[in-house]
Amino acid sequence: MVEEALILQDIHIDDFLTIFVSAGLVLVFGGFYVGIYTAVKAELLKPWIMPFAYIAWLCTAYCLYLMGSLMHVNDFTAKTLVVAGLSLLLIPHAVYYMLRRVHEENEYIHEENEEYVHEENEQHVQAKNEH
Amino acid sequence: MANNYLTSESKKLATWYFTFAAILFGAQLLFGLVAAIQYVMPGFLFEILDFSVARTVHINALVIWMVFAMMGSVYWLLPDETGIETVGIGLGKLFYWVFVAAIVVVVLVYLFVQVGPADQTTIWFIMEGREYLEAPRWADIGIVVVVLGFIYNLYATGMKGKRTGIVTVLMADMLAFAGIYLAGMGYTDNISVDQFWWWWVIHLWVEATWEVFVGAIAAYGLIHMIGAHRKVVEMWLWIEVAMLFGSGILGIGHHYFWIGTPEYWWEIGALFSALEPLPLVAMFIHVLYDWGKQQGAQEAQGKEVSVVTNKPAFTWFVLQAFGNFLGAGVWGFFHTFPQVNLYTHGTQFTSAHGHLAFFGAYATILIGMFYIAVQNKNGIKVMKATKKSIWATCMIFGGVLGMTVALTLAGYVQVLVSRAQMGATWAGYFDGQAGIWFAQGMDWRLIMGVVTFIGFIILIKDLLSIGSATHHER
Ligand code: HEM
Ligand code: HEM
Ligand SMILES: [Fe+2]
């Protein structure tokens, strides 16, 4: 097992371009996925666009697969790639979940204590001017 | 820059730091140009200012100007965040001059003494020879003292004033930042051990502590330039901190593939560094999200004006989010698996990534801080862009992007010829660089470097003159 991991299989010379391009596209599609997801949740984009986020994620997953297989990754690294792909899928959901909770809390505070917030800001400016 | 509206001593000190940082930035670019010319005309300044010397000055000036600008940024935001004047500002000023003097002496020694007898005197007085951190030992010790003073000021102020999330993150992060520097100060004649510790400084700086630093600065910028809600921004910041440290610390394994460290680093490096781009994606989306949200809220109130109170600075902050994602994220991911790194290691590919990452992640946001300082120094409420600031931004960003593309193509040729076809042999090394693609890559790097440099000159002119333009809201 260990011996196996020590040997790197040669990469075929015609495969380098595909490897670099797909490695680059992993993050480009990944960015699209997270971006579209976030924009829909933030109501900057319409909800019907959401499936495109997941399509982008599928493209990411395919690029990871393509890149990994042409690179001849070993078993461990293959698992790594799966973990990376799944983390990418899950993270926006987790972040959005937390963000929504903070936003709710914050908007609540904001409405209730609108004046307080303003006051704090003014004090802040004053404090700055006093120096 | 006629009027000085700054009343806070801490902010005044920050502008000193920014000024010296900008000067060193210029020096960095000049020596980069010398080194780039030497790739195209190998005889240029031969035995007067060799490539080795030009390169040393180029990359050490890079690190030092960023450290100056980072310390300046902390002195800048402390009064805003804590609500009090920075504690120990006199010490800060004294140490500023000590630091400047030490750097000037080190650079003069690099330029005029250049080499030593290769024994202990070289290490103590000329250079230590660890890429990016080549300052001789006396200066190393000086830097530690200066940074201790800085940390003291930060902690004393943070403990006395209001401690926001941003200040808390900075306090922890700056301590780690300073502590890690110590890892690069020892001496050993075992090259594997030496490299092992050297990477602690380089990697754990740029891929952990510096990233967290820019996360905190971006948070500050979003609150102050577009009025984002502190609670939301600080929650993002904590998420980013967790993701950055979670992936970045063990991601160091991607430098331990070929330096004589055990093989298990292959797997550790591959796993954790493959996760490193995730927080960078998050940071990118965060900036756009907050911006869209604030602008949307503004427009919902029927106001069509921009929420941004400092256009040039905010532009650089957005470019930072993008450049970090591109340079560190995409270009980093390209070569972070050992299977591919075997071929790309030490080609121009590495250099392409190094340029776009350092520039995209750090130079951008620090230039943004320069503009924030200029705005406040001139008592401007809403600072708009000028023709110069637009030209400077386009030329600098376009120039570095152009250099990166040229270097990537040159690196690709090296991967194919020197590595894949000729198997990393002596002959392969030279053949890989003899072809027309490589040569043209070097030509284009030089041309785009000149574009970058002209952009820099315009940037400096703009920083010196934008404050007196009449179209801002005061
Ligand atoms: C802003 C953050 C970053 C900066 C400033 C940066 C900068 C650099 C620099 C200057 C080098 C060359 C070091 C040398 O002289 O040998 C380097 C190497 C490397 N970087 Fe980054 N980097 C960043 C983030 C990343 C990320 C996120 C990844 C991975 C996803 C990454 C992967 C690598 C790898 C694998 C190498 C080794 C290349 C080799 O020697 O073969 N970097 N980085
Ligand atoms: C006028 C523009 C510039 C030119 C002409 C230039 C040129 C060069 C050259 C010739 C090298 C040596 C490469 C080698 O050893 O093969 C180098 C290294 C480097 N430069 Fe620049 N540079 C410029 C701007 C910048 C900027 C703006 C940054 C970052 C903010 C930067 C960061 C670096 C880094 C990190 C390295 C070390 C890369 C490595 O070893 O992998 N340079 N540069
Ligand atoms: Fe690294």
Side-chain angles (χ1 to χ4, degrees):
Chain A
M1 185 61 212
V2 174
E3 272 67 37
E4 214 179 325
L6 291 180
I7 297 163
L8 291 182
Q9 217 177 315
D10 281 346
I11 294 178
H12 196 267
I13 192 154
D14 295 328
D15 289 342
F16 278 102
L17 191 59
T18 320
I19 290 174
F20 288 132
V21 172
S22 55
L25 288 179
V26 164
L27 286 181
V28 173
F29 285 126
F32 272 116
Y33 161 63
V34 180
I36 296 172
Y37 181 92
T38 315
V40 171
K41 290 288 185 187
E43 291 165 23
L44 299 170
L45 289 177
K46 298 263 175 329
W48 62 264
I49 300 177
M50 193 58 110
F52 289 95
Y54 292 98
I55 293 174
W57 182 82
L58 285 176
C59 295
T60 300
Y62 176 70
C63 286
L64 275 173
Y65 166 76
L66 187 65
M67 177 193 95
S69 50
L70 294 180
M71 264 190 221
H72 308 297
V73 294
N74 57 21
D75 287 353
F76 183 86
T77 310
K79 284 180 198 134
T80 299
L81 292 176
V82 173
V83 170
L86 290 179
S87 309
L88 183 73
L89 182 63
L90 291 179
I91 280 173
H93 290 84
V95 170
Y96 181 72
Y97 173 75
M98 285 189 274
L99 199 63
R100 204 186 47 198
R101 287 192 16 199
V102 171
H103 252 293
E104 271 164 11
E105 242 173 72
N106 191 52
E107 252 137 50
Y108 175 70
I109 290 171
H110 194 61
E111 272 159 28
E112 291 270 295
N113 301 347
E114 183 98 24
E115 268 167 30
Y116 169 73
V117 173
H118 276 287
E119 223 169 79
E120 195 192 37
N121 278 349
E122 261 157 40
Q123 278 174 356
H124 200 59
V125 173
Q126 257 176 7
K128 251 202 276 186
N129 292 342
E130 271 162 24
H131 288 304
Chain B
M1 298 235 279
N3 288 321
N4 195 340
Y5 284 80
L6 296 181
T7 46
S8 151
E9 289 301 312
S10 191
K11 294 201 173 214
K12 282 185 196 157
L13 178 57
T15 61
W16 297 5
Y17 271 102
F18 290 153
T19 307
F20 192 64
I23 294 169
L24 276 180
F25 185 15
Q28 181 215 343
L29 296 184
L30 266 182
F31 284 91
L33 282 176
V34 171
I37 294 172
Q38 286 165 334
Y39 257 101
V40 178
M41 292 162 48
F44 183 67
L45 292 183
F46 183 58
E47 289 189 333
I48 300 165
L49 188 79
D50 286 347
F51 177 79
S52 57
V53 178
R55 187 181 191 282
T56 299
V57 178
H58 179 58
I59 62 179
N60 283 268
L62 158 76
V63 171
I64 294 292
W65 86 252
M66 290 189 170
V67 170
F68 263 84
M70 287 162 78
M71 289 168 73
S73 304
V74 172
Y75 279 124
W76 182 269
L77 61 73
L78 268 184
D80 290 342
E81 290 291 310
T82 58
I84 60 168
E85 178 61 278
T86 302
V87 179
I89 205 71
L91 183 74
K93 286 183 177 169
L94 172 70
F95 276 173
Y96 168 82
W97 288 112
V98 173
F99 202 3
V100 170
I103 298 305
V104 170
V105 173
V106 170
V107 172
L108 291 178
V109 169
Y110 285 164
L111 291 180
F112 296 109
V113 183
Q114 298 187 353
V115 287
D119 57 20
Q120 286 291 325
T121 47
T122 305
I123 291 180
W124 276 93
F125 300 108
I126 298 169
M127 66 140 60
E128 247 184 354
R130 285 190 194 90
E131 227 197 343
Y132 304 97
L133 312 167
E134 283 143 287
R137 187 157 295 162
W138 71 265
D140 257 3
I141 296 169
I143 289 171
V144 171
V145 172
V146 166
V147 171
L148 277 178
F150 166 75
I151 296 281
Y152 167 77
N153 286 0
L154 171 60
Y155 271 70
T157 315
M159 284 181 325
K160 190 168 156 215
K162 197 168 69 181
R163 204 177 324 138
T164 60
I166 293 178
V167 174
T168 311
V169 168
L170 281 176
M171 283 167 76
D173 190 53
M174 287 285 128
L175 190 64
F177 175 5
I180 288 168
Y181 187 73
L182 303 176
M185 285 177 62
Y187 175 77
T188 154
D189 50 16
N190 180 325
I191 191 78
S192 294
V193 177
D194 190 84
Q195 291 268 297
F196 180 90
W197 292 110
W198 172 73
W199 277 117
W200 273 50
V201 190
I202 299 304
H203 173 97
L204 294 181
W205 267 9
V206 301
E207 283 160 72
T209 50
W210 290 30
E211 283 285 1
V212 168
F213 172 85
V214 291
I217 296 292
Y220 169 83
L222 289 171
I223 293 170
H224 287 263
M225 281 191 288
I226 62 172
H229 293 303
R230 179 176 288 276
K231 263 201 147 176
V232 178
V233 168
E234 288 189 340
M235 198 212 66
W236 271 105
L237 180 59
W238 286 112
I239 296 174
E240 286 162 9
V241 170
M243 286 169 75
L244 285 166
F245 281 149
S247 61
I249 292 174
L250 283 171
I252 196 171
H254 64 194
H255 303 293
Y256 292 166
F257 297 151
W258 330 114
I259 64 168
T261 32
E263 281 83 6
Y264 53 73
W265 284 109
W266 281 11
E267 305 349 301
I268 298 174
L271 172 59
F272 287 92
S273 70
L275 299 175
E276 277 186 47
L278 291 175
L280 309 183
V281 176
M283 289 162 99
F284 183 35
I285 300 299
H286 170 197
V287 170
L288 295 184
Y289 176 86
D290 270 1
W291 186 17
K293 199 95 183 161
Q294 290 307 108
Q295 190 68 44
Q298 173 106 340
E299 275 159 24
Q301 292 175 6
K303 297 181 206 147
E304 284 297 304
V305 289
S306 161
V307 285
V308 179
T309 59
N310 186 332
K311 268 281 163 60
F314 193 68
T315 306
W316 280 108
F317 271 60
V318 172
L319 287 177
Q320 190 273 340
F322 180 56
N324 197 6
F325 167 73
L326 207 63
V330 176
W331 257 262
F333 192 74
F334 268 154
H335 62 170
T336 205
F337 291 97
Q339 290 82 0
V340 165
N341 193 268
L342 178 65
Y343 296 87
T344 58
H345 185 64
T347 62
Q348 295 296 331
F349 218 96
T350 312
S351 189
H353 159 66
H355 277 87
L356 197 57
F358 257 113
F359 172 77
Y362 304 121
T364 46
I365 201 164
L366 296 171
I367 296 174
M369 288 304 292
F370 295 172
Y371 273 107
I372 291 182
V374 167
Q375 175 191 20
N376 286 273
K377 195 169 178 193
N378 290 280
I380 297 169
K381 236 201 234 139
V382 177
M383 190 156 102
K384 311 239 163 93
T386 61
K387 263 203 186 104
K388 280 201 210 90
S389 62
I390 294 169
W391 272 103
T393 311
C394 294
M395 286 179 79
I396 297 177
F397 203 86
V400 176
L401 212 57
M403 286 199 294
T404 305
V405 171
L407 291 170
T408 304
L409 290 177
Y412 182 65
V413 176
Q414 286 181 298
V415 165
L416 290 192
V417 179
S418 305
R419 300 289 164 80
Q421 284 174 341
M422 303 190 63
T425 53
W426 182 250
Y429 176 74
F430 289 100
D431 282 7
Q433 299 184 51
I436 183 83
W437 279 85
F438 185 88
Q440 285 193 350
M442 292 300 111
D443 292 348
W444 277 104
R445 187 263 297 277
L446 179 55
I447 293 167
M448 296 318 278
V450 172
V451 171
T452 309
F453 189 70
I454 297 171
F456 171 78
I457 304 275
I458 301 174
L459 172 75
I460 296 301
K461 282 193 169 166
D462 191 50
L463 285 168
L464 294 175
S465 65
I466 190 169
S468 47
T470 51
H471 66 316
H472 310 303
E473 277 172 42
R474 282 177 199 266

